[in-house]
């Protein structure tokens, strides 16, 4: 990919949370998200991306798919090409087909993953590499199939492990610039980020690891002061966003958008 292509973006796609989000998947039980509060969080999220320079397409809510607000899991977006994935949870598989028309309208080319399962939350793109985390949602067949597509698009695939008990690879990490990844200690300790500078999430603030870099800012969840301080100390411009409702159904900031550049 071109320089800074993994965090210099012109566009984003998101989807409004449906009232059915109360039935969203979650590993550990816990309370349902409040739909009204989720809508407010989502509106603030979209506004922040717009402020950071994105043209944002906000798709309508899909009542039939409780987790469909988490659009990241349906596709991988690179310059000029979107790859439609095969989400690993049965209740989410149809979300990819549902988002296809919107992506077809934006991208000159749409490629469909043909085999296995992959959730976009398991894929971290840098300017040169594509980390694909094997997880409960992303199987080896899907990972290898996606790897060969991404290789043809000029990225070096690195199929890696997601720590046990962690939903997605990117639940535990996020890109903060072309050479730097923010990650939990448990993920960083696996050595998977060899060749990159890794900034570790402070102990107790692992839930802040799912952050996103969008143009000039790093967006992270509010409520993690040590993380914020750590990132600001090394010079990043940090913006915090509430994601309490998303977190009730195991979502974070990266999951609520597809981010890409159509000018590359
Ligand atoms: C799920 O379990 O699939 C949703 N409740 C949460 C998905 C979060 N997506 C992401 O981290 N990319």
């Amino acid at each position: 990919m071109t320089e800074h292509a993994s965090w210099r973006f012109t566009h984003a796609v998101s989807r409004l949370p449906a009232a059915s989000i109360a039935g969203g998947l979650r590993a550990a039980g816990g309370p349902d998200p409040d739909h009204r509060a989720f809508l407010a969080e989502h509106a603030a999220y979209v506004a922040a991306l717009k402020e950071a320079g994105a043209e944002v397409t906000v798709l309508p809510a899909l009542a039939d798919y409780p987790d469909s607000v988490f659009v990241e899991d349906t596709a991988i977006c690179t310059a000029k090409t979107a790859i439609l994935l095969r989400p690993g949870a049965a209740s989410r598989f149809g979300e990819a087909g549902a988002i296809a028309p919107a992506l077809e309208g934006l991208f000159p080319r749409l490629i469909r993953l043909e085999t296995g399962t992959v959730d976009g939350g398991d894929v971290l793109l840098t300017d040169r590499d594509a980390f694909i985390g094997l997880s409960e949602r992303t199987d080896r067949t899907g990972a290898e199939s996606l790897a060969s597509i991404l290789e043809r698009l000029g990225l070096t695939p690195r199929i890696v492990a997601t720590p046990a008990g962690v939903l997605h690879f990117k639940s535990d990490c996020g890109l903060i610039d072309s050479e730097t990844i923010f990650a939990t200690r448990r993920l960083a300790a696996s050595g998977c980020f060899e060749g990159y500078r890794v900034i570790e999430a402070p102990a107790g603030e692992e839930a802040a690891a799912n952050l996103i870099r969008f143009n000039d800012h790093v967006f992270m969840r509010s409520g993690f002061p040590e993380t914020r301080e750590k990132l600001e100390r090394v010079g990043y411009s940090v913006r915090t966003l509430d994601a309490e409702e998303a977190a009730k159904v195991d979502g974070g900031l990266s999951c609520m958008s597809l981010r890409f550049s159509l000018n590359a």
Side-chain angles (χ1 to χ4, degrees):
M1 283 209 281
T2 48
E3 199 187 17
H4 304 336
S6 54
W7 55 273
R8 283 257 164 238
F9 301 125
T10 58
H11 287 71
V13 171
S14 71
R15 186 183 288 290
L16 290 171
S20 58
I21 185 64
L25 299 173
R26 72 210 80 169
D32 295 342
D34 176 81
H35 185 227
R36 194 178 283 265
F38 205 141
L39 283 170
E41 277 182 1
H42 195 265
Y45 178 86
V46 169
L49 293 184
K50 284 183 179 167
E51 227 171 89
E55 191 174 309
V56 187
T57 302
V58 181
L59 301 171
L62 286 180
D64 289 348
Y65 295 105
D67 285 297
S68 55
V69 62
F70 301 122
V71 288
E72 176 181 64
D73 294 318
T74 64
I76 301 298
C77 297
T78 70
K80 299 189 179 66
T81 305
I83 305 160
L84 210 57
L85 299 176
R86 296 164 55 87
S91 67
R92 302 199 60 195
F93 191 78
E95 290 177 29
I99 207 166
L103 297 180
E104 270 164 346
L106 286 163
F107 283 85
R109 187 161 64 139
L110 184 72
I111 297 176
R112 287 163 203 272
L113 190 72
E114 298 291 351
T115 53
T117 61
V118 176
D119 275 13
D122 284 319
V123 183
L124 179 78
L125 300 186
T126 73
D127 293 351
R128 59 182 191 277
D129 295 318
F131 293 90
I132 307 172
L134 298 171
S135 72
E136 294 287 313
R137 301 286 178 87
T138 294
D139 64 18
R140 186 161 284 280
T141 305
E144 285 175 356
S145 171
L146 178 63
S148 75
I149 295 171
L150 290 169
E151 203 162 21
R152 289 202 298 277
L153 296 176
L155 287 161
T156 303
R158 291 167 66 161
I159 297 177
V160 293
T162 300
V166 173
L167 174 60
H168 286 130
F169 185 69
K170 281 191 297 190
S171 307
D172 266 29
C173 67
L175 184 84
I176 43 181
D177 65 34
S178 299
E179 301 300 331
T180 313
I181 291 165
F182 187 75
T184 60
R185 174 161 296 189
R186 67 188 164 208
L187 179 56
S190 73
C192 68
F193 296 124
E194 200 192 328
Y196 287 84
R197 175 168 79 129
V198 176
I199 299 179
E200 279 186 14
E205 295 202 354
E206 288 76 10
N210 176 255
L211 45 66
I212 51 177
R213 174 74 187 265
F214 197 105
N215 294 338
D216 295 340
H217 308 303
V218 173
F219 291 96
M220 57 167 282
R221 267 183 73 187
S222 41
F224 300 93
E226 285 182 46
T227 299
R228 179 174 193 158
E229 200 202 318
K230 193 167 187 177
L231 292 173
E232 287 181 334
R233 212 181 318 125
V234 286
Y236 294 103
S237 167
V238 177
R239 297 277 187 278
T240 56
L241 286 166
D242 291 340
E244 294 288 302
E245 300 308 312
K248 288 176 184 167
V249 277
D250 300 344
L253 294 185
S254 78
C255 341
M256 290 190 283
S257 61
L258 292 165
R259 302 163 296 279
F260 49 94
S261 182
L262 293 178
N263 298 335

